[in-house]
Amino acid sequence: MSQAAKPIPRITPELAPFFEAAKQERLVVQKCDSCGALRFPPNPQCSRCLSTASSWTRVSGRGEVYSFNVMHQVYHPGFAAEIPYAVVIVKLEEGAKLLSNLVGIKPSEIKCGMAVEVVFERISDEVTLPKFRPVG
Ligand code: ZN
């Protein structure tokens, strides 16, 4: 029996600009055109000022581990070979938070506050996933 494939994110119209940028190895988040607040995932309305005007802006890709969880259970057969793996919330230096994975480090060595930077993992012609790795 062949190994199960991982699920691939569905590219909704709301997320299309994010994935289009990721294919070009650029990390972007939504920015409120009225107050400048950054947000991710995208939302039609700003939670700070309620404006519906927004655009996408490139961010540095640098940040820190805000929180993380190490998966020890197989919730999807596509991830069975990677157990244990970490799911992290990265707080970008610009302030927005992203849910992602950390690569290049054992889950037992991950600490909140550690500096990370984005890397891009090409999954298919359509999907490239931003992931993060430790800095320094
Ligand atoms: Zn706003």
Side-chain angles (χ1 to χ4, degrees):
M1 194 172 108
S2 64
Q3 188 180 341
K6 288 181 184 175
I8 293 178
R10 193 166 58 90
I11 302 179
T12 61
E14 294 77 21
L15 281 168
F18 176 79
F19 283 109
E20 194 55 42
K23 275 200 301 195
Q24 300 160 30
E25 302 204 343
R26 296 165 53 243
L27 187 64
V28 298
V29 296
Q30 204 176 30
K31 180 180 183 179
C32 174
D33 287 343
S34 296
C35 76
L38 300 180
R39 60 185 187 253
F40 194 87
N43 193 303
Q45 190 169 40
C46 178
S47 61
R48 189 200 286 177
C49 76
L50 305 182
S51 170
T52 55
S54 68
S55 52
W56 289 83
T57 189
R58 188 175 187 177
V59 290
S60 65
R62 293 185 299 271
E64 65 178 42
V65 174
Y66 180 78
S67 185
F68 68 99
N69 191 20
V70 178
M71 301 296 179
H72 295 276
Q73 299 261 353
V74 178
Y75 293 104
H76 186 285
F79 294 92
E82 297 184 18
I83 295 289
Y85 64 90
V87 175
V88 298
I89 298 174
V90 172
K91 184 178 181 184
L92 298 171
E93 62 183 14
E94 293 88 353
K97 297 184 187 92
L98 273 83
L99 189 65
S100 184
N101 295 117
L102 210 51
V103 297
I105 184 171
K106 292 179 192 161
S108 61
E109 296 172 344
I110 299 171
K111 293 189 171 34
C112 288
M114 72 188 309
V116 295
E117 66 183 3
V118 72
V119 293
F120 293 92
E121 185 174 310
R122 187 176 180 277
I123 304 298
S124 69
D125 286 347
E126 291 77 34
V127 178
T128 294
L129 295 179
K131 296 191 174 183
F132 289 83
R133 67 180 172 205
V135 177

